[in-house]
Amino acid sequence: MRVGIFGLGLIGGSLGLDLRDRGHRVIGVTRQSETAHLSIAIGATDEAGVEVGRLAGCEVIFLCTPMQALGTGIAAVAAAVGPETILTDVASVKGAVVGPAEALWPRFVGGHPMAGGSEQGITAASRGLFVGRPYVLTPTATTDAVALERVRLLIRELGARLIEMTVEDHDRAVARISHLPVMVSAALLLNLADDQTATRLASSGFYDTTRVGGGNPQLGLAMAQLNREAMLAELASYRAALERLEGAVQTEDWTGLEASLEASRRARVRVFPQKP
Ligand code: NAP
């Protein structure tokens, strides 16, 4: 299949690497020609450039720009391809994207791979990023059935775990397991401030708990701006959980604190029976 990728960064580049490995011809379009050249050099695209017209003739196009550039990106791609073309995105928030995209392009399928990393750009692209990871599709009542089936097939080919749900369920769930942790992890890093002594002692535990807070600031900003209500609800719920732990320490309720930590230990085993 001839597959297009618009926006060659961590996610776009990683999709390109795996889709080419599975025998697809991958055409990339991105903002900077240097990135396009690099994508060919690392094997993420067969051909690439900055002219959106290159995408004409692709059966399926993955829209992989940052969320802030997605609206203008979809419009530019839509103006350059035929009506049979299937468009799908990878954005971390679906509510702000899917409605307008479907109104503009009937063969649009909302998507979100639950995989990534703290680096950004084409140099951060990696093979096998999606293998075994959840990849969410958010079809609506008006989603084109043929388009949906075609995108499903590609996701399965990537070795990802296909999960389908509504836009609303997706945005609420990612606020809890992805967007809130970015803020919590950022707060841990901000709390460290310039404490030199603590910095010298920071090791694997602090490394693990601060990974997502050390990621792409533009991505975190877009999560807060575009999924604001759900993020606020999760911040409030998290603050309440933290206050319960604080209350136990304040009142020296060691039995209660131990029970809470035991419950959190069991929750982690339940959520991650094995390393994802
Ligand atoms: P990224 O590494 O910054 O890559 C985005 C690429 O898009 C950039 O390399 C840039 O390429 C290109 N670009 C920027 N503006 C553009 C424009 N106006 N037109 C065309 N290309 C443009 O970002 P990412 O992490 O891959 O994220 C991309 C999307 O994936 C976002 O919607 C994000 O929500 C979603 N996502 C991210 C993760 C994650 O963990 N990072 C996980 C799941 C989903 P140039 O070098 O050419 O400027």
Side-chain angles (χ1 to χ4, degrees), residues 69-89:
L70 198 51
T72 50
I74 295 176
V77 172
V81 301
E84 68 291 344
T85 314
I86 295 163
L87 302 186
T88 185
D89 76 316

Side-chain angles (χ1 to χ4, degrees), residues 6-14 29-36 49-50 63-70 72-73 89-94 97 111-125 129-130 178-179 211 216 218-219 222-223:
F6 184 71
L8 294 166
L10 165 64
I11 299 294
S14 302
V29 169
T30 196
R31 190 173 46 178
Q32 306 183 73
S33 50
E34 193 189 329
T35 305
V50 295
L63 301 154
C64 302
T65 67
M67 283 189 275
Q68 291 89 342
L70 198 51
T72 50
D89 76 316
V90 295
S92 309
V93 178
K94 302 273 48 94
V97 172
H112 179 203
M114 302 302 301
S118 52
E119 301 299 312
Q120 64 188 102
I122 189 70
T123 50
L129 184 68
F130 310 101
S178 174
H179 303 176
R211 183 176 69 79
N216 178 353
Q218 293 307 317
L219 186 54
M223 288 168 174

Side-chain angles (χ1 to χ4, degrees), residues 2-5 25-29 45-48 54-55 58:
R2 202 175 162 87
V3 181
I5 295 177
R25 183 160 183 83
V26 175
I27 319 300
V29 169
T45 58
D46 292 284
E47 44 181 287
R54 279 178 181 271
L55 296 172
C58 289

